Amino acid sequence: MAVLPVSAPDPHGYRAQLAALGTKLEYLHPALEAGETARRSATRNHPANTAGTRAYQEHVRIIREMHIQHEGWRRLLHDHLELVCNPDRTVAIGVMVGDAATGEQGSPPRNLHRRGSATRRVAEVNAAQMELFPVRRREEIVLSAEEVDRLQVWFLVSYRVVAGDKVHIHNELSLPGEFKDGYVTRWKRRIPLPVLEMDGIEPPYEDGGGEIDIPVPFR
């Protein structure tokens, strides 16, 4: 599978650009849909980060399942990043939450939440040293130093907006280029994708039908 060059033309031809990476919109948007559905299962009685955590977990799961089932990709845990990797071990995809510029042609986004050193190393295209006895899960792959050097790690970046009775998820598949103070400051390549629209949110059932009144007899 050919790696998409940094200077690829035609920024509006997202399907051709995705195909050059071995992926499709039909593999990416289902991950965002599953994440939004999982997010909505969290109530105000859950811990504060439950909605975002559930969305992230489903983003990773579905993006892996779609590529594994349809394209023969493999799971990859690379320097603590949860990814899916193509058979040639040249392209991997992860997920990231962006800011309000996500998916916009004119202004590049930043990641909404501060990221750690693993994202910095990916952005700098510096190969992290492999552990002597790496811990891996079944069916995962481990990259050699040479494979790490040529691996491109792309991110499905998403940003959700509640608009009336709809939820709009702005998204793009992008390749980080520079990283500073926990944030991506420059992208080598961006592939803005169509906005995903979903029906609005119905408040989940939280506190039951009311308080329970248990009579206590007085002695």
Side-chain angles (χ1 to χ4, degrees), residues 31-32 34-44 46-61 95-98 112-113 115 158 160 201:
L32 300 179
E36 178 64 23
T37 300
R39 171 186 291 276
R40 297 181 187 192
S41 69
T43 73
R44 286 176 291 183
H46 282 92
N49 62 345
T50 298
T53 298
R54 289 182 178 178
Y56 165 77
Q57 291 170 343
E58 288 303 293
H59 288 164
V60 172
R61 179 179 73 87
V95 299
M96 179 186 295
V97 177
L112 187 62
H113 307 296
R115 306 276 297 200
S158 61
R160 68 190 296 272
I201 302 171

Side-chain angles (χ1 to χ4, degrees), residues 9-88:
D10 188 16
H12 300 288
Y14 67 88
R15 288 195 178 274
Q17 295 182 70
L18 294 179
L21 294 172
T23 188
K24 298 179 180 179
L25 187 68
E26 290 77 11
Y27 303 159
L28 305 177
H29 272 189
L32 300 179
E33 291 173 352
E36 178 64 23
T37 300
R39 171 186 291 276
R40 297 181 187 192
S41 69
T43 73
R44 286 176 291 183
N45 293 329
H46 282 92
N49 62 345
T50 298
T53 298
R54 289 182 178 178
Y56 165 77
Q57 291 170 343
E58 288 303 293
H59 288 164
V60 172
R61 179 179 73 87
I62 297 299
I63 208 168
R64 280 176 165 170
E65 289 182 357
M66 297 299 287
H67 288 86
I68 290 170
Q69 292 174 8
H70 298 289
E71 302 294 341
W73 290 34
R74 300 282 296 278
R75 288 194 304 274
L76 173 63
L77 179 60
H78 173 58
D79 198 10
H80 306 290
L81 296 174
E82 298 283 358
L83 310 170
V84 63
C85 184
N86 71 349
D88 294 339

Side-chain angles (χ1 to χ4, degrees), residues 201-212:
I201 302 171
E202 294 184 7
Y205 184 78
E206 294 182 356
D207 298 317
E211 295 182 356
I212 300 175

